Every structure is written in structure tokens, then in C-alpha cells.
Amino acid sequence: MSSNTNYLLGVEDLTVSFDGFKAVEGLNFYLDQNELRVIIGPNGAGKTTVLDMICGRTRPTSGSIKFKSRELIGMAEHRIVQAGVGRKFQTPSIYENLTVYENLEVSFPRGRTVFGALTFKTTPEIEDKIKSISETIFLKDYLDVEGAFLSHGQKQWLEIGMLLMQDPELLMLDEPVAGMSPSEREQTAALLNRICENRSIIIIEHDMEFVSRIARKVTVLHLGKILAEGSMEEIRNNQKVQDVYLGH
């Protein structure tokens, strides 16, 4: 159980079966306000499936997912986004033919419906937000550049910026540094450490060096269950974790 009952996200006894195979089984997981949590584990451990259930993409077989005491199971995906949960998938999905500025602008919640987009007027407040977020994601000098011309790492940052435009209280990122150069990874670590000052973040990652730069608490999943949880130091020295994961 969480040491703190005021957790932001509480996952209890969560199970999902696909054709009789339990991808996640009896999972209990608690995330505090402004916490940065990294989930690691071998392929097939159920990491992405857990994020899919939190954001409403996959419906669990049983269990509960509470965000700020609201049950998320059964809520539509867009309602979960409106409740304050943002999710970034492994492949960046930005608008390649729009500039960085326009990508951020259309991500502002009022611009999201077709009617909203047609009647959408950018206010000084939104412009300030775009400028400030573009600085956070290292793209303030690229506002007029079309998405197609950004490097792989810059596209990943832009997508994080598009999520930040929605002010999520919980941000979930699936392998955010996959395919990045070493210097982009370093910048991404700095970016994530900065943005979790006023929101919670769950990150799935395989790159252990990167994990050690950002992790405050690490959860290790194995065969759909939590194998271990603790600081990076504790996880590194955990014999069970070494046997199933870090030793490979």
C-alpha cells in the first residue's frame, strides 16, 4: 500500500488477460503527486500494457485504476485526457506539415475539436505558453520549422511539448530516448527532471544509463507482476532483478 493515501494514481489488483494469457496480473501500483517513476523490465513484462490500461486503450479484465480518486476504467480515452492524463507513444506522432509553432498551437485543448479549430483564435496567453514550452523543449529557435525537418530527437521533444500544452497532471512516456543521440539523451534527462517539478511522470525505458540519470524510484515488472521496487541503487543490487533482467 502507498505510504501516502493522497496518491495521484492508484492501481489496485489490476489484471488483464488476452485469450487466457495474463499479460498483467494482480498489479498494485501507487504514484504520488510530482513523482517521476521509471518502469523497467524485459520484453513481454507488461509495461506498455499497463500504460494502455491507464489511458483507456485497453480494458482490464479486473481491478481498479484511480486518478485523483476518480475511477478511470470505463472512461473514454478523450475523457481520460481531459481528466489530466497525457500519453506519448514510442513513435512520435506530430504533424509533419505544420511548423513547431502550429503543432504546439493545435495541441492547446480549445483547438482540439473541428469546431474549436475553426473558431480558434490564438490569444496572447496561448502565445506566451507556446514560447515558454518551446524553450523548455529546446525548440524556441525552431518555431517556424516544419515538423518534417526536425531530427528524430527534436520530434520526440515536440511531442512532449504538445502534451505539455494540455497541462496534464500525469504524463506517461514510452521509451522517450529510443533512437536519440547521446547529447539528445542528456538533454531529455534534463527536460524530464525539469517538467516533473509540477506534475507526475511515468516512463518506460530500457536504456539503463538514462534511467540512472532521472530515476527517483524504479518499478521492475516481470511476467505482468511487480518483481521489485526501489531506488536505482536498490534495483541494481537486487539479485532477483539481476537474474531476470539486468544480467541479460
Side-chain angles (χ1 to χ4, degrees), residues 50-64:
V50 170
L51 297 199
D52 284 346
M53 288 190 281
I54 295 169
C55 77
R57 235 186 183 199
T58 297
R59 186 148 187 166
T61 313
S62 60
S64 158

Side-chain angles (χ1 to χ4, degrees), residues 1-7 30 32 217:
M1 185 67 196
S2 169
S3 53
N4 166 10
T5 47
N6 304 327
Y7 50 80
Y30 301 91
D32 289 327
K217 192 170 180 185

Side-chain angles (χ1 to χ4, degrees), residues 111-141:
R112 293 204 77 92
T113 62
V114 175
F115 180 72
L118 291 174
T119 57
F120 185 66
K121 294 278 179 286
T122 298
T123 62
E125 165 219 4
I126 297 170
E127 287 204 354
D128 289 346
K129 190 167 186 176
I130 291 172
K131 291 207 173 88
S132 124
I133 286 175
S134 70
E135 203 160 320
T136 302
I137 58 173
F138 316 116
L139 294 176
K140 76 172 181 359
D141 297 334

